[in-house]
Amino acid sequence: MSEPTALQRLLQLAEQVRVPEALSREGLAERFGAPGDLEVDAGQVWRACWDDVSALLLITDVEDLTVAAVPVTLDLPAAPGRTVVVDATSTAFGLDAVAWISLSGRFPLRVLDQPVDRWQDDLVASIRGTVVDTSAEPAFASREMMWAELADDLTALRDVPALPVHVSGEKHTTLRALLGQSLDLRQLVTALQPLGYTQADVMTVLNGKKPLTPDAAATVAEVTGIDPGAIEAAVLALPRDFVAEADHPRWRHAWQRRAEQHEQDEATGRLEGSYAFFARAARETGSGPVDWRARLTQYFQREEQEGSAG
Protein backbone atom coordinates (compact mmCIF):
# COMPACT_ATOMS: atom_id res chain seq x y z
CA MET A 1 0.00 0.00 0.00
CA SER A 2 1.37 3.39 -0.94
CA GLU A 3 2.12 6.07 1.66
CA PRO A 4 -1.04 8.16 2.34
CA THR A 5 -0.96 11.68 0.97
CA ALA A 6 -0.94 14.72 3.28
CA LEU A 7 -4.62 15.25 2.49
CA GLN A 8 -5.44 11.68 3.41
CA ARG A 9 -3.57 12.02 6.69
CA LEU A 10 -5.52 15.20 7.48
CA LEU A 11 -8.80 13.42 6.74
CA GLN A 12 -7.79 10.52 8.99
CA LEU A 13 -6.92 12.95 11.79
CA ALA A 14 -10.22 14.79 11.33
CA GLU A 15 -12.06 11.48 11.59
CA GLN A 16 -10.32 10.73 14.89
CA VAL A 17 -11.25 14.06 16.51
CA ARG A 18 -14.69 14.49 14.96
CA VAL A 19 -17.30 15.60 17.47
CA PRO A 20 -19.73 12.74 18.20
CA GLU A 21 -23.13 13.27 16.61
CA ALA A 22 -24.76 13.31 20.06
CA LEU A 23 -22.68 16.39 20.96
CA SER A 24 -23.40 18.36 17.79
CA ARG A 25 -25.79 21.30 18.03
CA GLU A 26 -28.49 19.24 16.35
CA GLY A 27 -27.78 16.22 18.53
CA LEU A 28 -27.96 18.25 21.74
CA ALA A 29 -31.23 19.88 20.66
CA GLU A 30 -32.72 16.48 19.86
CA ARG A 31 -31.68 15.00 23.20
CA PHE A 32 -32.40 17.94 25.52
CA GLY A 33 -34.73 20.27 23.62
CA ALA A 34 -34.51 23.97 22.83
CA PRO A 35 -32.89 26.34 25.39
CA GLY A 36 -36.30 27.48 26.62
CA ASP A 37 -37.29 23.88 27.40
CA LEU A 38 -34.21 22.86 29.37
CA GLU A 39 -34.68 21.09 32.69
CA VAL A 40 -31.98 20.25 35.22
CA ASP A 41 -32.02 16.68 36.57
CA ALA A 42 -29.70 14.39 38.50
CA GLY A 43 -27.63 12.26 36.15
CA GLN A 44 -27.11 14.96 33.55
CA VAL A 45 -23.64 16.24 32.69
CA TRP A 46 -23.66 19.99 32.08
CA ARG A 47 -21.18 22.45 30.71
CA ALA A 48 -20.84 25.15 33.37
CA CYS A 49 -19.19 28.43 32.48
CA TRP A 50 -18.79 32.06 33.49
CA ASP A 51 -16.52 34.58 31.76
CA ASP A 52 -13.42 32.59 30.77
CA VAL A 53 -13.90 29.70 33.24
CA SER A 54 -15.65 26.48 32.27
CA ALA A 55 -16.04 22.94 33.56
CA LEU A 56 -18.14 19.82 33.11
CA LEU A 57 -20.38 18.94 36.05
CA LEU A 58 -22.24 15.68 36.73
CA ILE A 59 -25.43 16.71 38.56
CA THR A 60 -26.24 14.52 41.56
CA ASP A 61 -28.94 16.61 43.25
CA VAL A 62 -30.99 19.71 42.39
CA GLU A 63 -32.36 22.42 44.68
CA ASP A 64 -34.02 25.69 43.72
CA LEU A 65 -30.85 27.82 43.60
CA THR A 66 -28.02 25.27 43.59
CA VAL A 67 -27.02 21.83 42.34
CA ALA A 68 -24.82 19.21 43.95
CA ALA A 69 -22.32 18.09 41.35
CA VAL A 70 -19.14 16.15 40.65
CA PRO A 71 -16.68 17.77 38.23
CA VAL A 72 -15.81 15.70 35.17
CA THR A 73 -12.78 15.81 32.88
CA LEU A 74 -11.99 13.87 29.72
CA ASP A 75 -8.99 11.77 28.79
CA LEU A 76 -6.98 12.74 31.88
CA PRO A 77 -5.02 10.39 34.16
CA ALA A 78 -6.96 9.13 37.14
CA ALA A 79 -5.99 9.92 40.72
CA PRO A 80 -6.65 6.92 42.97
CA GLY A 81 -8.97 7.80 45.83
CA ARG A 82 -9.96 11.08 44.26
CA THR A 83 -11.60 9.97 41.04
CA VAL A 84 -13.84 7.43 39.37
CA VAL A 85 -13.02 6.52 35.77
CA VAL A 86 -16.05 6.12 33.51
CA ASP A 87 -15.53 4.02 30.40
CA ALA A 88 -16.00 5.72 27.04
CA THR A 89 -18.86 3.34 26.18
CA SER A 90 -20.91 4.82 29.04
CA THR A 91 -20.68 8.42 27.82
CA ALA A 92 -21.53 10.45 24.72
CA PHE A 93 -17.98 11.80 24.53
CA GLY A 94 -16.29 8.85 22.88
CA LEU A 95 -13.56 9.12 25.53
CA ASP A 96 -13.00 7.88 29.05
CA ALA A 97 -14.33 10.38 31.57
CA VAL A 98 -12.91 11.08 35.01
CA ALA A 99 -15.32 12.05 37.82
CA TRP A 100 -13.39 14.00 40.46
CA ILE A 101 -15.28 12.90 43.57
CA SER A 102 -12.89 14.72 45.93
CA LEU A 103 -13.97 18.03 44.35
CA SER A 104 -17.71 17.38 44.68
CA GLY A 105 -19.81 20.22 46.05
CA ARG A 106 -22.65 22.63 45.44
CA PHE A 107 -22.67 25.10 42.58
CA PRO A 108 -25.06 27.94 41.72
CA LEU A 109 -27.69 27.08 39.17
CA ARG A 110 -26.87 30.22 37.17
CA VAL A 111 -23.50 28.87 35.94
CA LEU A 112 -25.09 25.96 34.02
CA ASP A 113 -25.04 26.59 30.28
CA GLN A 114 -25.78 23.41 28.30
CA PRO A 115 -26.47 19.75 29.12
CA VAL A 116 -24.15 17.52 27.12
CA ASP A 117 -24.78 14.00 28.42
CA ARG A 118 -27.02 11.81 30.58
CA TRP A 119 -25.46 8.97 32.58
CA GLN A 120 -27.22 5.84 33.77
CA ASP A 121 -28.80 5.94 37.22
CA ASP A 122 -26.70 3.04 38.58
CA LEU A 123 -23.49 4.73 37.44
CA VAL A 124 -24.51 8.03 39.04
CA ALA A 125 -25.49 6.26 42.26
CA SER A 126 -22.11 4.51 42.33
CA ILE A 127 -20.24 7.79 41.89
CA ARG A 128 -22.40 9.55 44.47
CA GLY A 129 -21.77 6.82 47.01
CA THR A 130 -18.01 6.55 46.48
CA VAL A 131 -15.99 7.22 49.63
CA VAL A 132 -13.13 9.68 49.15
CA ASP A 133 -9.96 8.63 50.96
CA THR A 134 -6.80 10.41 49.83
CA SER A 135 -4.69 9.50 52.87
CA ALA A 136 -2.82 6.71 51.10
CA GLU A 137 -2.61 8.37 47.71
CA PRO A 138 0.90 8.80 46.31
CA ALA A 139 1.83 12.33 45.31
CA PHE A 140 2.42 13.13 41.64
CA ALA A 141 3.37 16.69 40.75
CA SER A 142 1.46 16.79 37.46
CA ARG A 143 -1.63 15.27 39.07
CA GLU A 144 -1.48 17.70 41.98
CA MET A 145 -1.20 20.63 39.55
CA MET A 146 -4.17 19.33 37.56
CA TRP A 147 -6.21 18.96 40.76
CA ALA A 148 -5.28 22.48 41.91
CA GLU A 149 -6.15 24.09 38.57
CA LEU A 150 -9.52 22.34 38.46
CA ALA A 151 -10.19 23.33 42.09
CA ASP A 152 -9.46 26.98 41.23
CA ASP A 153 -11.89 26.89 38.31
CA LEU A 154 -14.60 25.35 40.48
CA THR A 155 -14.08 28.02 43.15
CA ALA A 156 -14.48 30.70 40.48
CA LEU A 157 -17.77 29.12 39.36
CA ARG A 158 -19.06 28.99 42.94
CA ASP A 159 -18.21 32.66 43.46
CA VAL A 160 -20.00 34.18 40.46
CA PRO A 161 -22.14 37.21 41.42
CA ALA A 162 -25.57 36.29 42.79
CA LEU A 163 -28.89 38.10 42.85
CA PRO A 164 -29.90 39.31 46.33
CA VAL A 165 -32.36 36.76 47.73
CA HIS A 166 -34.87 37.67 50.43
CA VAL A 167 -34.47 35.67 53.63
CA SER A 168 -37.47 35.57 55.94
CA GLY A 169 -36.94 37.88 58.90
CA GLU A 170 -33.88 39.54 57.39
CA LYS A 171 -33.97 43.31 56.91
CA HIS A 172 -32.15 45.23 54.21
CA THR A 173 -31.03 48.83 54.61
CA THR A 174 -31.96 51.12 51.73
CA LEU A 175 -29.62 53.80 50.44
CA ARG A 176 -32.01 56.45 51.79
CA ALA A 177 -31.71 54.96 55.29
CA LEU A 178 -27.96 54.52 54.87
CA LEU A 179 -27.48 58.21 54.03
CA GLY A 180 -29.93 59.46 56.65
CA GLN A 181 -29.70 63.19 57.33
CA SER A 182 -26.69 63.53 55.03
CA LEU A 183 -28.81 62.78 51.95
CA ASP A 184 -28.26 65.40 49.23
CA LEU A 185 -30.58 64.47 46.36
CA ARG A 186 -29.30 67.16 44.02
CA GLN A 187 -25.72 66.01 44.56
CA LEU A 188 -26.63 62.38 43.83
CA VAL A 189 -28.57 63.25 40.68
CA THR A 190 -25.71 65.41 39.40
CA ALA A 191 -23.17 62.66 40.12
CA LEU A 192 -25.18 59.87 38.49
CA GLN A 193 -26.54 61.69 35.43
CA PRO A 194 -23.35 61.08 33.40
CA LEU A 195 -23.90 57.35 33.99
CA GLY A 196 -27.40 57.47 32.55
CA TYR A 197 -29.43 57.80 35.76
CA THR A 198 -32.39 60.17 35.70
CA GLN A 199 -33.81 61.79 38.82
CA ALA A 200 -36.57 59.16 38.79
CA ASP A 201 -33.89 56.45 38.65
CA VAL A 202 -32.09 57.98 41.63
CA MET A 203 -35.32 58.05 43.64
CA THR A 204 -35.87 54.37 42.83
CA VAL A 205 -32.29 53.60 43.86
CA LEU A 206 -32.74 55.46 47.16
CA ASN A 207 -35.78 53.30 47.96
CA GLY A 208 -33.85 50.10 47.25
CA LYS A 209 -35.93 49.10 44.22
CA LYS A 210 -33.17 49.48 41.64
CA PRO A 211 -29.58 48.26 42.03
CA LEU A 212 -26.55 50.36 41.25
CA THR A 213 -23.95 49.18 38.80
CA PRO A 214 -20.42 48.88 40.26
CA ASP A 215 -19.42 52.13 38.50
CA ALA A 216 -22.45 53.95 39.90
CA ALA A 217 -21.84 52.55 43.40
CA ALA A 218 -18.24 53.77 43.20
CA THR A 219 -19.49 57.22 42.17
CA VAL A 220 -21.95 57.40 45.06
CA ALA A 221 -19.22 56.22 47.43
CA GLU A 222 -16.96 58.99 46.20
CA VAL A 223 -19.51 61.76 46.81
CA THR A 224 -20.87 60.37 50.11
CA GLY A 225 -17.81 58.77 51.71
CA ILE A 226 -19.71 55.49 52.29
CA ASP A 227 -18.13 52.11 51.51
CA PRO A 228 -19.04 50.93 47.95
CA GLY A 229 -19.93 47.46 49.25
CA ALA A 230 -22.51 48.91 51.64
CA ILE A 231 -23.95 50.99 48.82
CA GLU A 232 -24.24 47.99 46.47
CA ALA A 233 -25.98 46.04 49.25
CA ALA A 234 -28.54 48.82 49.85
CA VAL A 235 -31.16 47.19 47.65
CA LEU A 236 -34.27 45.23 48.61
CA ALA A 237 -33.71 41.51 48.08
CA LEU A 238 -35.77 39.60 45.49
CA PRO A 239 -38.20 36.76 46.32
CA ARG A 240 -36.57 33.35 46.28
CA ASP A 241 -39.02 31.86 43.77
CA PHE A 242 -38.32 34.70 41.33
CA VAL A 243 -34.55 34.24 41.66
CA ALA A 244 -34.87 30.46 41.27
CA GLU A 245 -36.56 30.99 37.91
CA ALA A 246 -34.28 33.84 36.81
CA ASP A 247 -31.21 31.69 37.59
CA HIS A 248 -32.48 28.67 35.67
CA PRO A 249 -30.29 27.84 32.65
CA ARG A 250 -33.30 28.02 30.33
CA TRP A 251 -32.81 31.80 30.54
CA ARG A 252 -29.01 31.82 30.27
CA HIS A 253 -28.80 32.80 26.63
CA ALA A 254 -31.58 35.38 27.02
CA TRP A 255 -29.64 37.09 29.84
CA GLN A 256 -26.47 36.99 27.76
CA ARG A 257 -28.23 38.56 24.76
CA ARG A 258 -29.73 41.25 26.99
CA ALA A 259 -26.34 42.05 28.53
CA GLU A 260 -24.76 42.28 25.10
CA GLN A 261 -27.51 44.62 23.86
CA HIS A 262 -26.98 46.88 26.89
CA GLU A 263 -23.18 46.62 26.57
CA GLN A 264 -22.89 45.04 30.02
CA ASP A 265 -21.22 41.97 31.45
CA GLU A 266 -23.55 39.06 32.18
CA ALA A 267 -23.66 39.62 35.95
CA THR A 268 -24.61 43.31 35.62
CA GLY A 269 -27.14 42.62 32.89
CA ARG A 270 -28.78 39.90 34.95
CA LEU A 271 -28.87 42.10 38.08
CA GLU A 272 -30.35 45.18 36.39
CA GLY A 273 -32.70 43.13 34.24
CA SER A 274 -34.03 41.17 37.21
CA TYR A 275 -34.90 44.33 39.11
CA ALA A 276 -36.45 45.91 36.02
CA PHE A 277 -38.60 42.82 35.43
CA PHE A 278 -39.54 42.50 39.08
CA ALA A 279 -40.54 46.17 39.25
CA ARG A 280 -42.76 45.63 36.24
CA ALA A 281 -44.26 42.55 37.90
CA ALA A 282 -45.03 44.57 41.03
CA ARG A 283 -47.13 46.93 38.90
CA GLU A 284 -48.87 44.17 36.96
CA THR A 285 -49.35 41.36 39.51
CA GLY A 286 -52.45 40.95 41.63
CA SER A 287 -52.80 38.65 44.61
CA GLY A 288 -51.87 34.99 44.48
CA PRO A 289 -48.80 33.08 43.26
CA VAL A 290 -46.99 34.25 40.13
CA ASP A 291 -45.95 31.99 37.24
CA TRP A 292 -42.45 33.44 36.89
CA ARG A 293 -41.55 31.25 33.92
CA ALA A 294 -44.47 32.67 31.96
CA ARG A 295 -43.71 36.20 33.18
CA LEU A 296 -40.06 36.06 32.18
CA THR A 297 -41.08 34.76 28.77
CA GLN A 298 -43.34 37.80 28.35
CA TYR A 299 -40.73 40.25 29.62
CA PHE A 300 -37.94 39.03 27.38
CA GLN A 301 -40.26 39.02 24.37
CA ARG A 302 -41.47 42.52 25.20
CA GLU A 303 -37.94 43.85 25.55
CA GLU A 304 -36.92 42.34 22.22
CA GLN A 305 -39.98 43.89 20.54
CA GLU A 306 -39.30 47.28 22.11
CA GLY A 307 -35.65 47.03 21.06
CA SER A 308 -36.65 46.17 17.49
CA ALA A 309 -39.15 49.05 17.39
CA GLY A 310 -36.49 51.44 18.69
Side-chain angles (χ1 to χ4, degrees):
M1 182 178 296
S2 61
E3 179 73 8
T5 65
L7 177 59
Q8 288 173 324
R9 287 197 296 272
L10 286 174
L11 290 174
Q12 290 170 357
L13 179 61
E15 182 67 30
Q16 293 172 11
V17 301
R18 181 174 297 167
V19 175
E21 179 64 28
L23 298 179
S24 67
R25 179 174 299 181
E26 295 76 14
L28 290 173
E30 181 178 346
R31 293 162 67 209
F32 299 106
D37 299 325
L38 292 178
E39 297 294 345
V40 183
D41 294 312
Q44 294 173 338
V45 178
W46 280 75
R47 180 180 66 226
C49 60
W50 199 274
D51 294 335
D52 60 349
V53 177
S54 63
L56 293 176
L57 298 177
L58 167 65
I59 309 300
T60 58
D61 183 56
V62 183
E63 292 186 356
D64 55 348
L65 299 179
T66 65
V67 294
V70 181
V72 173
T73 56
L74 304 178
D75 201 26
L76 292 174
R82 289 187 173 182
T83 61
V84 172
V85 178
V86 180
D87 187 82
T89 58
S90 298
T91 78
F93 306 123
L95 298 167
D96 287 350
V98 180
W100 291 76
I101 52 177
S102 64
L103 292 174
S104 304
R106 300 208 75 88
F107 298 86
L109 193 64
R110 58 191 171 277
V111 303
L112 300 184
D113 182 67
Q114 171 67 55
V116 294
D117 203 359
R118 175 70 171 86
W119 291 1
Q120 294 295 322
D121 292 343
D122 56 348
L123 173 59
V124 177
S126 174
I127 292 173
R128 186 191 292 119
T130 301
V131 176
V132 180
D133 180 8
T134 61
S135 59
E137 179 186 340
F140 295 96
S142 60
R143 187 175 296 159
E144 292 299 321
M145 183 178 299
M146 187 189 314
W147 186 92
E149 290 176 353
L150 181 56
D152 287 345
D153 286 346
L154 298 174
T155 296
L157 290 174
R158 288 191 182 96
D159 292 343
V160 299
L163 295 174
V165 180
H166 176 70
V167 177
S168 180
E170 185 176 279
K171 294 184 178 180
H172 285 78
T173 301
T174 65
L175 184 58
R176 182 185 295 277
L178 196 63
L179 293 172
Q181 296 297 320
S182 65
L183 172 60
D184 186 334
L185 180 59
R186 180 176 297 180
Q187 181 189 43
L188 282 180
V189 172
T190 301
L192 291 174
Q193 274 181 340
L195 298 177
Y197 288 76
T198 65
Q199 181 169 331
D201 289 331
V202 174
M203 296 297 293
T204 305
V205 164
L206 285 169
N207 293 326
K209 296 181 178 180
K210 179 182 176 69
L212 284 166
T213 63
D215 286 346
T219 298
V220 174
E222 184 178 348
V223 300
T224 64
I226 296 176
D227 180 73
I231 292 172
E232 289 183 9
V235 59
L236 299 175
L238 297 165
R240 190 179 183 92
D241 55 348
F242 172 85
V243 175
E245 183 59 39
D247 271 2
H248 197 284
R250 69 171 63 96
W251 302 111
R252 185 77 189 271
H253 295 168
W255 286 125
Q256 291 171 336
R257 286 195 303 271
R258 187 185 194 279
E260 183 177 351
Q261 291 165 358
H262 289 260
E263 299 182 344
Q264 298 171 323
D265 60 75
E266 182 176 352
T268 301
R270 183 186 293 254
L271 178 66
E272 290 199 346
S274 292
Y275 274 87
F277 291 165
F278 189 71
R280 181 176 291 178
R283 296 192 297 268
E284 299 175 350
T285 302
S287 59
V290 180
D291 183 345
W292 288 119
R293 183 171 181 177
R295 283 301 180 91
L296 284 173
T297 299
Q298 295 172 0
Y299 295 157
F300 278 118
Q301 290 176 344
R302 193 181 303 179
E303 271 213 342
E304 290 181 3
Q305 291 168 358
E306 291 171 352
S308 301

